[in-house]
Amino acid sequence: AQRVTQPEKLLSVFKGAPVELKCNYSYSGSPELFWYVQYSRQRLQLLLRHISRESIKGFTADLNKGETSFHLKKPFAQEEDSAMYYCALMRNTDKLIFGTGTRLQVFP
Amino acid sequence: NAGVTQTPKFQVLKTGQSMTLQCAQDMNHNSMYWYRQDPGMGLRLIYYSASEGTTDKGEVPNGYNVSRLNKREFSLRLESAAPSQTSVYFCASTGRQNQPQHFGDGTRLSIL
């Protein structure tokens, strides 16, 4: 079955601390993975996709096919990073399967 | 460009009432989607439309109907609203395969 698992509902850190939001997937084909972010009362917006291998707002994510993971990392969290983060897997080239989301709280 | 526009932003309905949520995109995208977002469940696909004139069921289609009116517009209809349909509804679109989806601001729907 195709599935995306985000094991943490809530992750709380202090400003300047490292952050890792976990994402594991189950997919029989070659995965296309994304991280979306939703700031308070705003629309979802794309943060990262694995094929671009870029860093956005200091966040990076590496696809590990052996561990079927796509964890999102940032070395030094900022208060403005507080948001809901969703990991998503693209299925059949045009449909997304979302994880249940992790709320990141960054305290000053 | 506005991107993906959803109306209304908020709505309260009584059980049994009907309602159509509107979505329009100005990016000339082929594919459009309707999701619902519920606490602890993430986003779940209700219906999608791969191109003008086609619609298909997603993960949770029961209680909903859709219409792809033209390339720009994709509406979601609740014929007889139920409290279980209280949710935040998001519309999204994408232009090509394997491309990220662009989302609207959402419609917060409460059914009493």
Side-chain angles (χ1 to χ4, degrees):
Chain A
Q2 297 151 351
R3 187 170 56 245
V4 175
T5 302
Q6 293 180 251
E8 302 141 329
K9 287 186 177 180
L10 174 66
L11 184 62
S12 298
V13 300
F14 286 101
K15 177 182 173 181
V19 168
E20 181 178 65
L21 288 86
K22 291 184 167 51
C23 173
N24 288 90
Y25 66 91
S26 173
Y27 188 61
S28 56
S30 182
E32 181 84 30
L33 287 153
F34 302 83
W35 276 100
Y36 279 84
V37 60
Q38 186 180 28
Y39 300 102
S40 181
R41 302 279 179 156
Q42 294 186 24
R43 65 179 66 185
L44 272 82
Q45 52 188 287
L46 178 69
L47 181 63
L48 285 176
R49 59 184 306 187
H50 88 271
I51 63 169
S52 60
R53 301 184 65 83
E54 57 191 344
S55 174
I56 303 293
K57 298 184 180 182
F59 285 97
T60 59
D62 290 319
L63 177 63
N64 186 323
K65 291 187 178 181
E67 295 183 358
T68 59
S69 68
F70 188 55
H71 303 327
L72 184 67
K73 300 177 183 179
K74 185 170 183 176
F76 308 104
Q78 303 298 315
E79 290 179 69
E80 55 265 30
D81 295 329
S82 295
M84 194 76 177
Y85 291 81
Y86 290 98
C87 183
L89 169 70
M90 183 163 281
R91 180 171 66 93
N92 296 339
T93 74
D94 63 355
K95 289 185 283 294
L96 287 174
I97 300 171
F98 284 88
T100 51
T102 298
R103 179 168 300 282
L104 175 64
Q105 290 182 331
V106 182
F107 295 109
Chain B
N1 287 342
V4 179
T5 303
Q6 292 182 235
T7 56
K9 293 192 185 306
F10 304 94
Q11 185 69 49
V12 179
L13 295 177
K14 293 181 180 178
T15 297
Q17 286 185 315
S18 62
M19 170 83 190
T20 298
L21 309 185
Q22 306 288 351
C23 175
Q25 51 88 12
D26 60 4
M27 296 173 284
N28 201 36
H29 284 171
N30 290 317
S31 299
M32 298 185 73
Y33 309 81
W34 275 106
Y35 294 90
R36 58 178 291 172
Q37 181 186 41
D38 300 293
M41 304 193 76
L43 280 84
R44 293 179 293 169
L45 183 64
I46 304 171
Y47 269 94
Y48 67 100
S49 171
S51 62
E52 184 179 353
T54 68
T55 61
D56 284 290
K57 295 179 180 179
E59 183 184 353
V60 287
N62 291 346
Y64 305 95
N65 286 302
V66 290
S67 295
R68 183 73 182 268
L69 304 170
N70 47 56
K71 192 171 185 179
R72 289 186 66 248
E73 298 171 289
F74 187 39
S75 61
L76 178 72
R77 183 161 177 85
L78 288 71
E79 290 290 351
S80 179
S84 61
Q85 294 176 305
T86 293
S87 187
V88 180
Y89 291 85
F90 285 97
C91 178
S93 70
T94 187
R96 293 178 291 139
Q97 291 182 349
N98 290 323
Q99 292 302 304
Q101 294 179 10
H102 297 258
F103 285 81
D105 286 331
T107 295
R108 191 171 294 271
L109 184 61
S110 294
I111 298 156
L112 307 177

Short mmCIF file of all heavy atoms in Angstrom, two decimals, chain B residues 19-80:
data_model
loop_
_atom_site.label_atom_id
_atom_site.label_comp_id
_atom_site.label_asym_id
_atom_site.label_seq_id
_atom_site.Cartn_x
_atom_site.Cartn_y
_atom_site.Cartn_z
N MET B 19 -24.69 22.83 -0.74
CA MET B 19 -23.68 23.90 -0.84
C MET B 19 -22.72 23.55 -1.96
O MET B 19 -22.37 22.38 -2.14
CB MET B 19 -22.90 23.99 0.47
CG MET B 19 -21.69 24.87 0.46
SD MET B 19 -22.13 26.58 0.71
CE MET B 19 -20.60 27.40 0.36
N THR B 20 -22.30 24.58 -2.71
CA THR B 20 -21.27 24.39 -3.74
C THR B 20 -20.08 25.25 -3.41
O THR B 20 -20.22 26.47 -3.21
CB THR B 20 -21.80 24.74 -5.14
OG1 THR B 20 -22.89 23.88 -5.47
CG2 THR B 20 -20.70 24.56 -6.18
N LEU B 21 -18.92 24.63 -3.32
CA LEU B 21 -17.67 25.35 -3.14
C LEU B 21 -17.05 25.59 -4.51
O LEU B 21 -16.96 24.67 -5.33
CB LEU B 21 -16.70 24.55 -2.27
CG LEU B 21 -17.22 24.02 -0.93
CD1 LEU B 21 -16.11 23.37 -0.14
CD2 LEU B 21 -17.88 25.11 -0.13
N GLN B 22 -16.62 26.83 -4.72
CA GLN B 22 -16.09 27.21 -6.02
C GLN B 22 -14.57 27.28 -5.99
O GLN B 22 -13.97 27.67 -4.98
CB GLN B 22 -16.65 28.57 -6.44
CG GLN B 22 -18.15 28.69 -6.42
CD GLN B 22 -18.82 27.92 -7.54
OE1 GLN B 22 -18.16 27.41 -8.45
NE2 GLN B 22 -20.16 27.82 -7.48
N CYS B 23 -13.97 26.92 -7.09
CA CYS B 23 -12.51 27.01 -7.23
C CYS B 23 -12.19 27.41 -8.66
O CYS B 23 -12.75 26.84 -9.61
CB CYS B 23 -11.86 25.67 -6.92
SG CYS B 23 -10.08 25.64 -7.20
N ALA B 24 -11.28 28.37 -8.79
CA ALA B 24 -10.84 28.80 -10.11
C ALA B 24 -9.33 29.02 -10.08
O ALA B 24 -8.79 29.50 -9.09
CB ALA B 24 -11.56 30.07 -10.54
N GLN B 25 -8.68 28.66 -11.20
CA GLN B 25 -7.24 28.90 -11.30
C GLN B 25 -6.95 29.64 -12.60
O GLN B 25 -7.60 29.41 -13.62
CB GLN B 25 -6.45 27.59 -11.20
CG GLN B 25 -6.88 26.46 -12.11
CD GLN B 25 -6.23 26.46 -13.46
OE1 GLN B 25 -5.25 27.18 -13.70
NE2 GLN B 25 -6.73 25.62 -14.36
N ASP B 26 -5.96 30.51 -12.54
CA ASP B 26 -5.62 31.33 -13.70
C ASP B 26 -4.23 30.99 -14.25
O ASP B 26 -3.58 31.83 -14.87
CB ASP B 26 -5.72 32.82 -13.34
CG ASP B 26 -4.77 33.21 -12.22
OD1 ASP B 26 -3.97 32.36 -11.77
OD2 ASP B 26 -4.83 34.38 -11.79
N MET B 27 -3.78 29.77 -14.02
CA MET B 27 -2.44 29.36 -14.43
C MET B 27 -2.48 28.42 -15.64
O MET B 27 -1.46 27.83 -16.00
CB MET B 27 -1.75 28.67 -13.25
CG MET B 27 -1.53 29.63 -12.08
SD MET B 27 -0.89 28.83 -10.60
CE MET B 27 -2.38 28.03 -9.99
N ASN B 28 -3.67 28.27 -16.23
CA ASN B 28 -3.83 27.39 -17.39
C ASN B 28 -3.45 25.95 -17.08
O ASN B 28 -2.93 25.22 -17.95
CB ASN B 28 -3.01 27.90 -18.59
CG ASN B 28 -3.53 27.36 -19.92
OD1 ASN B 28 -4.73 27.20 -20.11
ND2 ASN B 28 -2.62 27.08 -20.84
N HIS B 29 -3.71 25.54 -15.84
CA HIS B 29 -3.38 24.18 -15.43
C HIS B 29 -4.41 23.17 -15.92
O HIS B 29 -5.60 23.47 -15.98
CB HIS B 29 -3.27 24.11 -13.91
CG HIS B 29 -2.02 24.69 -13.38
ND1 HIS B 29 -1.81 24.88 -12.02
CD2 HIS B 29 -0.89 25.12 -13.98
CE1 HIS B 29 -0.59 25.39 -11.84
NE2 HIS B 29 -0.03 25.55 -13.02
N ASN B 30 -3.92 21.98 -16.24
CA ASN B 30 -4.83 20.93 -16.69
C ASN B 30 -5.53 20.22 -15.54
O ASN B 30 -6.71 19.91 -15.59
CB ASN B 30 -4.08 19.89 -17.52
CG ASN B 30 -3.64 20.44 -18.86
OD1 ASN B 30 -4.41 21.14 -19.53
ND2 ASN B 30 -2.43 20.13 -19.26
N SER B 31 -4.77 19.92 -14.50
CA SER B 31 -5.30 19.09 -13.41
C SER B 31 -5.73 19.93 -12.22
O SER B 31 -5.04 20.87 -11.83
CB SER B 31 -4.24 18.09 -12.95
OG SER B 31 -3.86 17.23 -14.00
N MET B 32 -6.87 19.56 -11.65
CA MET B 32 -7.38 20.24 -10.46
C MET B 32 -7.84 19.21 -9.46
O MET B 32 -8.22 18.08 -9.83
CB MET B 32 -8.51 21.20 -10.83
CG MET B 32 -8.04 22.32 -11.76
SD MET B 32 -9.30 23.55 -12.12
CE MET B 32 -9.36 24.46 -10.56
N TYR B 33 -7.83 19.60 -8.17
CA TYR B 33 -8.06 18.65 -7.08
C TYR B 33 -8.88 19.30 -5.96
O TYR B 33 -8.76 20.51 -5.74
CB TYR B 33 -6.72 18.22 -6.45
CG TYR B 33 -5.70 17.74 -7.44
CD1 TYR B 33 -4.91 18.65 -8.17
CD2 TYR B 33 -5.50 16.38 -7.67
CE1 TYR B 33 -3.98 18.21 -9.08
CE2 TYR B 33 -4.56 15.93 -8.58
CZ TYR B 33 -3.81 16.86 -9.29
OH TYR B 33 -2.88 16.42 -10.19
N TRP B 34 -9.63 18.48 -5.27
CA TRP B 34 -10.28 18.91 -4.03
C TRP B 34 -9.83 17.99 -2.90
O TRP B 34 -9.89 16.76 -3.02
CB TRP B 34 -11.81 18.83 -4.15
CG TRP B 34 -12.42 20.03 -4.76
CD1 TRP B 34 -12.95 20.17 -6.01
CD2 TRP B 34 -12.59 21.31 -4.13
NE1 TRP B 34 -13.42 21.44 -6.21
CE2 TRP B 34 -13.22 22.16 -5.07
CE3 TRP B 34 -12.29 21.83 -2.87
CZ2 TRP B 34 -13.55 23.49 -4.78
CZ3 TRP B 34 -12.60 23.14 -2.59
CH2 TRP B 34 -13.23 23.96 -3.55
N TYR B 35 -9.38 18.62 -1.80
CA TYR B 35 -8.96 17.90 -0.61
C TYR B 35 -9.79 18.39 0.58
O TYR B 35 -10.27 19.51 0.60
CB TYR B 35 -7.50 18.20 -0.27
CG TYR B 35 -6.48 17.73 -1.24
CD1 TYR B 35 -6.07 18.54 -2.29
CD2 TYR B 35 -5.88 16.48 -1.11
CE1 TYR B 35 -5.10 18.11 -3.19
CE2 TYR B 35 -4.91 16.04 -1.99
CZ TYR B 35 -4.53 16.86 -3.03
OH TYR B 35 -3.56 16.44 -3.91
N ARG B 36 -9.85 17.54 1.60
CA ARG B 36 -10.32 18.00 2.88
C ARG B 36 -9.20 17.79 3.91
O ARG B 36 -8.42 16.83 3.81
CB ARG B 36 -11.61 17.29 3.33
CG ARG B 36 -11.55 15.80 3.43
CD ARG B 36 -12.88 15.22 3.93
NE ARG B 36 -13.15 15.56 5.32
CZ ARG B 36 -14.30 15.33 5.95
NH1 ARG B 36 -15.30 14.75 5.30
NH2 ARG B 36 -14.46 15.67 7.21
N GLN B 37 -9.12 18.74 4.83
CA GLN B 37 -8.07 18.71 5.84
C GLN B 37 -8.71 18.59 7.20
O GLN B 37 -9.49 19.46 7.62
CB GLN B 37 -7.23 19.99 5.77
CG GLN B 37 -6.08 20.04 6.77
CD GLN B 37 -5.38 21.38 6.76
OE1 GLN B 37 -6.01 22.44 6.68
NE2 GLN B 37 -4.05 21.36 6.81
N ASP B 38 -8.40 17.53 7.90
CA ASP B 38 -8.96 17.28 9.23
C ASP B 38 -7.82 17.05 10.23
O ASP B 38 -6.80 16.44 9.87
CB ASP B 38 -9.88 16.06 9.19
CG ASP B 38 -11.03 16.24 8.24
OD1 ASP B 38 -11.88 17.11 8.52
OD2 ASP B 38 -11.06 15.56 7.19
N PRO B 39 -7.99 17.49 11.47
CA PRO B 39 -6.94 17.32 12.47
C PRO B 39 -6.54 15.86 12.62
O PRO B 39 -7.38 14.98 12.74
CB PRO B 39 -7.60 17.85 13.75
CG PRO B 39 -8.66 18.78 13.27
CD PRO B 39 -9.17 18.20 11.98
N GLY B 40 -5.24 15.62 12.60
CA GLY B 40 -4.73 14.26 12.79
C GLY B 40 -4.84 13.36 11.57
O GLY B 40 -4.41 12.20 11.63
N MET B 41 -5.40 13.89 10.48
CA MET B 41 -5.58 13.06 9.29
C MET B 41 -4.93 13.65 8.05
O MET B 41 -4.99 13.05 6.98
CB MET B 41 -7.06 12.82 9.04
CG MET B 41 -7.78 12.22 10.23
SD MET B 41 -9.40 11.60 9.88
CE MET B 41 -9.00 10.09 9.05
N GLY B 42 -4.35 14.79 8.18
CA GLY B 42 -3.69 15.39 7.03
C GLY B 42 -4.68 15.81 5.97
O GLY B 42 -5.84 16.12 6.25
N LEU B 43 -4.25 15.81 4.73
CA LEU B 43 -5.12 16.14 3.60
C LEU B 43 -5.50 14.85 2.89
O LEU B 43 -4.64 14.02 2.59
CB LEU B 43 -4.41 17.06 2.62
CG LEU B 43 -4.39 18.52 2.99
CD1 LEU B 43 -3.23 18.81 3.92
CD2 LEU B 43 -4.28 19.39 1.74
N ARG B 44 -6.76 14.73 2.60
CA ARG B 44 -7.26 13.56 1.87
C ARG B 44 -7.96 14.00 0.60
O ARG B 44 -8.76 14.94 0.62
CB ARG B 44 -8.20 12.75 2.76
CG ARG B 44 -7.51 12.09 3.95
CD ARG B 44 -8.49 11.33 4.81
NE ARG B 44 -9.43 12.22 5.49
CZ ARG B 44 -10.51 11.81 6.13
NH1 ARG B 44 -10.82 10.52 6.16
NH2 ARG B 44 -11.30 12.69 6.73
N LEU B 45 -7.65 13.31 -0.48
CA LEU B 45 -8.19 13.67 -1.78
C LEU B 45 -9.65 13.24 -1.90
O LEU B 45 -9.99 12.07 -1.68
CB LEU B 45 -7.35 13.01 -2.88
CG LEU B 45 -7.71 13.33 -4.32
CD1 LEU B 45 -7.49 14.81 -4.61
CD2 LEU B 45 -6.88 12.47 -5.27
N ILE B 46 -10.50 14.19 -2.29
CA ILE B 46 -11.92 13.89 -2.45
C ILE B 46 -12.21 13.50 -3.90
O ILE B 46 -12.70 12.42 -4.20
CB ILE B 46 -12.78 15.11 -2.06
CG1 ILE B 46 -12.46 15.56 -0.64
CG2 ILE B 46 -14.27 14.77 -2.16
CD1 ILE B 46 -13.10 16.89 -0.26
N TYR B 47 -11.91 14.41 -4.80
CA TYR B 47 -12.06 14.20 -6.23
C TYR B 47 -10.94 14.93 -6.95
O TYR B 47 -10.36 15.87 -6.41
CB TYR B 47 -13.40 14.79 -6.73
CG TYR B 47 -14.58 13.85 -6.71
CD1 TYR B 47 -15.44 13.82 -5.62
CD2 TYR B 47 -14.84 13.01 -7.79
CE1 TYR B 47 -16.54 12.96 -5.60
CE2 TYR B 47 -15.95 12.16 -7.78
CZ TYR B 47 -16.77 12.14 -6.68
OH TYR B 47 -17.86 11.30 -6.67
N TYR B 48 -10.69 14.51 -8.16
CA TYR B 48 -9.75 15.25 -8.98
C TYR B 48 -10.21 15.23 -10.43
O TYR B 48 -11.07 14.43 -10.82
CB TYR B 48 -8.32 14.70 -8.85
CG TYR B 48 -8.13 13.31 -9.41
CD1 TYR B 48 -7.57 13.13 -10.66
CD2 TYR B 48 -8.47 12.20 -8.67
CE1 TYR B 48 -7.37 11.86 -11.17
CE2 TYR B 48 -8.29 10.93 -9.17
CZ TYR B 48 -7.73 10.76 -10.42
OH TYR B 48 -7.55 9.51 -10.92
N SER B 49 -9.59 16.13 -11.20
CA SER B 49 -9.91 16.24 -12.62
C SER B 49 -8.60 16.39 -13.37
O SER B 49 -7.90 17.38 -13.21
CB SER B 49 -10.80 17.46 -12.86
OG SER B 49 -10.94 17.71 -14.24
N ALA B 50 -8.27 15.38 -14.17
CA ALA B 50 -6.99 15.40 -14.88
C ALA B 50 -7.02 16.36 -16.06
O ALA B 50 -5.96 16.82 -16.50
CB ALA B 50 -6.64 13.99 -15.35
N SER B 51 -8.20 16.62 -16.57
CA SER B 51 -8.31 17.56 -17.68
C SER B 51 -9.77 18.01 -17.78
O SER B 51 -10.66 17.42 -17.16
CB SER B 51 -7.87 16.91 -18.99
OG SER B 51 -8.70 15.81 -19.29
N GLU B 52 -9.98 19.04 -18.57
CA GLU B 52 -11.34 19.53 -18.76
C GLU B 52 -12.22 18.40 -19.27
O GLU B 52 -11.86 17.68 -20.20
CB GLU B 52 -11.31 20.68 -19.78
CG GLU B 52 -12.63 21.34 -20.00
CD GLU B 52 -12.52 22.49 -21.00
OE1 GLU B 52 -11.38 22.82 -21.39
OE2 GLU B 52 -13.57 23.03 -21.38
N GLY B 53 -13.36 18.22 -18.63
CA GLY B 53 -14.31 17.21 -19.06
C GLY B 53 -14.16 15.87 -18.38
O GLY B 53 -14.96 14.95 -18.61
N THR B 54 -13.15 15.70 -17.54
CA THR B 54 -12.96 14.43 -16.84
C THR B 54 -12.89 14.67 -15.33
O THR B 54 -12.30 15.65 -14.89
CB THR B 54 -11.68 13.71 -17.27
OG1 THR B 54 -10.55 14.47 -16.83
CG2 THR B 54 -11.62 13.54 -18.77
N THR B 55 -13.50 13.74 -14.58
CA THR B 55 -13.38 13.77 -13.13
C THR B 55 -13.25 12.34 -12.62
O THR B 55 -13.78 11.40 -13.25
CB THR B 55 -14.61 14.42 -12.46
OG1 THR B 55 -15.78 13.68 -12.78
CG2 THR B 55 -14.78 15.86 -12.91
N ASP B 56 -12.56 12.18 -11.51
CA ASP B 56 -12.39 10.85 -10.92
C ASP B 56 -12.42 10.95 -9.41
O ASP B 56 -12.06 11.97 -8.82
CB ASP B 56 -11.04 10.24 -11.35
CG ASP B 56 -11.08 9.75 -12.77
OD1 ASP B 56 -11.76 8.74 -13.02
OD2 ASP B 56 -10.46 10.40 -13.63
N LYS B 57 -12.83 9.83 -8.79
CA LYS B 57 -12.91 9.79 -7.34
C LYS B 57 -11.52 9.69 -6.72
O LYS B 57 -10.62 9.06 -7.27
CB LYS B 57 -13.75 8.59 -6.89
CG LYS B 57 -15.20 8.68 -7.30
CD LYS B 57 -15.97 7.44 -6.85
CE LYS B 57 -17.43 7.55 -7.26
NZ LYS B 57 -18.20 6.34 -6.86
N GLY B 58 -11.40 10.31 -5.56
CA GLY B 58 -10.18 10.18 -4.78
C GLY B 58 -10.39 9.21 -3.64
O GLY B 58 -11.11 8.23 -3.76
N GLU B 59 -9.80 9.53 -2.52
CA GLU B 59 -9.82 8.64 -1.36
C GLU B 59 -11.13 8.68 -0.60
O GLU B 59 -11.60 7.68 -0.07
CB GLU B 59 -8.67 9.04 -0.43
CG GLU B 59 -8.49 8.18 0.79
CD GLU B 59 -7.37 8.72 1.70
OE1 GLU B 59 -6.68 9.68 1.30
OE2 GLU B 59 -7.22 8.19 2.81
N VAL B 60 -11.77 9.87 -0.53
CA VAL B 60 -12.97 10.04 0.29
C VAL B 60 -14.08 10.76 -0.48
O VAL B 60 -14.48 11.86 -0.13
CB VAL B 60 -12.65 10.80 1.61
CG1 VAL B 60 -11.87 9.92 2.57
CG2 VAL B 60 -11.88 12.09 1.32
N PRO B 61 -14.64 10.15 -1.54
CA PRO B 61 -15.60 10.84 -2.39
C PRO B 61 -17.05 10.83 -1.90
O PRO B 61 -17.87 11.62 -2.38
CB PRO B 61 -15.49 10.06 -3.70
CG PRO B 61 -15.20 8.67 -3.24
CD PRO B 61 -14.30 8.82 -2.04
N ASN B 62 -17.37 9.96 -0.96
CA ASN B 62 -18.77 9.79 -0.57
C ASN B 62 -19.36 11.06 0.01
O ASN B 62 -18.78 11.69 0.90
CB ASN B 62 -18.91 8.65 0.44
CG ASN B 62 -18.63 7.30 -0.20
OD1 ASN B 62 -18.59 7.18 -1.42
ND2 ASN B 62 -18.43 6.29 0.63
N GLY B 63 -20.53 11.44 -0.50
CA GLY B 63 -21.21 12.64 -0.02
C GLY B 63 -20.88 13.89 -0.82
O GLY B 63 -21.40 14.96 -0.50
N TYR B 64 -20.06 13.73 -1.83
CA TYR B 64 -19.63 14.88 -2.64
C TYR B 64 -19.85 14.60 -4.13
O TYR B 64 -19.83 13.45 -4.57
CB TYR B 64 -18.14 15.16 -2.44
CG TYR B 64 -17.72 15.38 -1.02
CD1 TYR B 64 -17.21 14.32 -0.26
CD2 TYR B 64 -17.80 16.63 -0.42
CE1 TYR B 64 -16.81 14.51 1.05
CE2 TYR B 64 -17.39 16.83 0.88
CZ TYR B 64 -16.90 15.76 1.61
OH TYR B 64 -16.50 15.96 2.91
N ASN B 65 -20.03 15.68 -4.88
CA ASN B 65 -20.00 15.63 -6.33
C ASN B 65 -19.16 16.79 -6.83
O ASN B 65 -18.99 17.79 -6.12
CB ASN B 65 -21.41 15.75 -6.92
CG ASN B 65 -22.19 14.47 -6.75
OD1 ASN B 65 -21.78 13.41 -7.20
ND2 ASN B 65 -23.32 14.56 -6.08
N VAL B 66 -18.63 16.64 -8.04
CA VAL B 66 -17.80 17.71 -8.60
C VAL B 66 -18.21 17.99 -10.03
O VAL B 66 -18.84 17.16 -10.70
CB VAL B 66 -16.30 17.34 -8.57
CG1 VAL B 66 -15.76 17.34 -7.16
CG2 VAL B 66 -16.05 16.01 -9.27
N SER B 67 -17.82 19.18 -10.47
CA SER B 67 -18.03 19.56 -11.87
C SER B 67 -16.81 20.31 -12.36
O SER B 67 -16.38 21.27 -11.72
CB SER B 67 -19.26 20.48 -12.01
OG SER B 67 -20.43 19.80 -11.67
N ARG B 68 -16.25 19.83 -13.47
CA ARG B 68 -15.16 20.60 -14.09
C ARG B 68 -15.83 21.42 -15.19
O ARG B 68 -16.03 20.98 -16.32
CB ARG B 68 -14.11 19.65 -14.68
CG ARG B 68 -12.92 20.39 -15.28
CD ARG B 68 -12.04 20.98 -14.22
NE ARG B 68 -10.92 21.72 -14.76
CZ ARG B 68 -9.71 21.21 -15.01
NH1 ARG B 68 -9.47 19.93 -14.78
NH2 ARG B 68 -8.75 21.98 -15.47
N LEU B 69 -16.18 22.64 -14.83
CA LEU B 69 -17.01 23.49 -15.69
C LEU B 69 -16.27 23.88 -16.96
O LEU B 69 -16.85 24.00 -18.04
CB LEU B 69 -17.44 24.73 -14.91
CG LEU B 69 -18.17 24.42 -13.60
CD1 LEU B 69 -18.34 25.68 -12.77
CD2 LEU B 69 -19.51 23.77 -13.89
N ASN B 70 -15.00 24.14 -16.82
CA ASN B 70 -14.13 24.49 -17.94
C ASN B 70 -12.70 24.29 -17.42
O ASN B 70 -12.50 23.77 -16.32
CB ASN B 70 -14.38 25.93 -18.40
CG ASN B 70 -14.44 26.89 -17.23
OD1 ASN B 70 -13.50 26.96 -16.45
ND2 ASN B 70 -15.54 27.62 -17.10
N LYS B 71 -11.73 24.73 -18.18
CA LYS B 71 -10.35 24.48 -17.75
C LYS B 71 -10.03 25.22 -16.46
O LYS B 71 -9.24 24.77 -15.65
CB LYS B 71 -9.38 24.88 -18.85
CG LYS B 71 -7.96 24.38 -18.60
CD LYS B 71 -7.07 24.60 -19.80
CE LYS B 71 -5.71 23.96 -19.54
NZ LYS B 71 -4.80 24.11 -20.70
N ARG B 72 -10.65 26.38 -16.24
CA ARG B 72 -10.34 27.21 -15.09
C ARG B 72 -11.04 26.78 -13.81
O ARG B 72 -10.51 26.96 -12.72
CB ARG B 72 -10.74 28.66 -15.36
CG ARG B 72 -9.90 29.39 -16.37
CD ARG B 72 -10.33 30.86 -16.41
NE ARG B 72 -10.04 31.54 -15.17
CZ ARG B 72 -10.96 31.99 -14.31
NH1 ARG B 72 -12.24 31.81 -14.54
NH2 ARG B 72 -10.60 32.62 -13.20
N GLU B 73 -12.24 26.23 -13.92
CA GLU B 73 -13.09 26.08 -12.74
C GLU B 73 -13.41 24.63 -12.40
O GLU B 73 -13.72 23.82 -13.28
CB GLU B 73 -14.40 26.86 -12.97
CG GLU B 73 -14.19 28.34 -13.17
CD GLU B 73 -15.48 29.03 -13.60
OE1 GLU B 73 -15.92 28.82 -14.75
OE2 GLU B 73 -16.04 29.77 -12.77
N PHE B 74 -13.39 24.36 -11.10
CA PHE B 74 -13.67 23.01 -10.61
C PHE B 74 -14.44 23.17 -9.31
O PHE B 74 -13.89 23.61 -8.31
CB PHE B 74 -12.34 22.28 -10.38
CG PHE B 74 -12.44 20.83 -10.04
CD1 PHE B 74 -13.37 20.00 -10.65
CD2 PHE B 74 -11.56 20.25 -9.13
CE1 PHE B 74 -13.44 18.65 -10.36
CE2 PHE B 74 -11.62 18.89 -8.82
CZ PHE B 74 -12.56 18.09 -9.45
N SER B 75 -15.72 22.81 -9.32
CA SER B 75 -16.56 23.04 -8.15
C SER B 75 -16.83 21.74 -7.40
O SER B 75 -16.84 20.66 -7.99
CB SER B 75 -17.88 23.70 -8.55
OG SER B 75 -18.60 22.85 -9.43
N LEU B 76 -17.06 21.89 -6.11
CA LEU B 76 -17.35 20.76 -5.22
C LEU B 76 -18.71 20.98 -4.60
O LEU B 76 -18.95 22.03 -4.02
CB LEU B 76 -16.29 20.65 -4.13
CG LEU B 76 -16.47 19.54 -3.10
CD1 LEU B 76 -16.19 18.18 -3.71
CD2 LEU B 76 -15.56 19.78 -1.89
N ARG B 77 -19.59 20.00 -4.71
CA ARG B 77 -20.94 20.16 -4.20
C ARG B 77 -21.24 19.14 -3.10
O ARG B 77 -20.93 17.95 -3.26
CB ARG B 77 -21.97 20.03 -5.32
CG ARG B 77 -23.41 20.26 -4.84
CD ARG B 77 -24.34 20.57 -5.97
NE ARG B 77 -25.71 20.73 -5.52
CZ ARG B 77 -26.21 21.87 -5.03
NH1 ARG B 77 -25.44 22.96 -4.94
NH2 ARG B 77 -27.48 21.94 -4.64
N LEU B 78 -21.85 19.66 -2.04
CA LEU B 78 -22.40 18.81 -0.99
C LEU B 78 -23.90 18.85 -1.16
O LEU B 78 -24.52 19.89 -0.98
CB LEU B 78 -22.02 19.34 0.40
CG LEU B 78 -20.58 19.18 0.86
CD1 LEU B 78 -19.63 20.10 0.12
CD2 LEU B 78 -20.48 19.44 2.37
N GLU B 79 -24.50 17.75 -1.52
CA GLU B 79 -25.94 17.73 -1.80
C GLU B 79 -26.77 17.78 -0.53
O GLU B 79 -27.79 18.43 -0.45
CB GLU B 79 -26.30 16.48 -2.61
CG GLU B 79 -25.80 16.49 -4.04
CD GLU B 79 -26.53 17.51 -4.91
OE1 GLU B 79 -27.53 18.11 -4.48
OE2 GLU B 79 -26.07 17.72 -6.05
N SER B 80 -26.32 17.07 0.49
CA SER B 80 -27.04 17.02 1.77
C SER B 80 -25.98 16.97 2.87
O SER B 80 -25.51 15.90 3.22
CB SER B 80 -27.96 15.81 1.81
OG SER B 80 -28.63 15.74 3.05
#
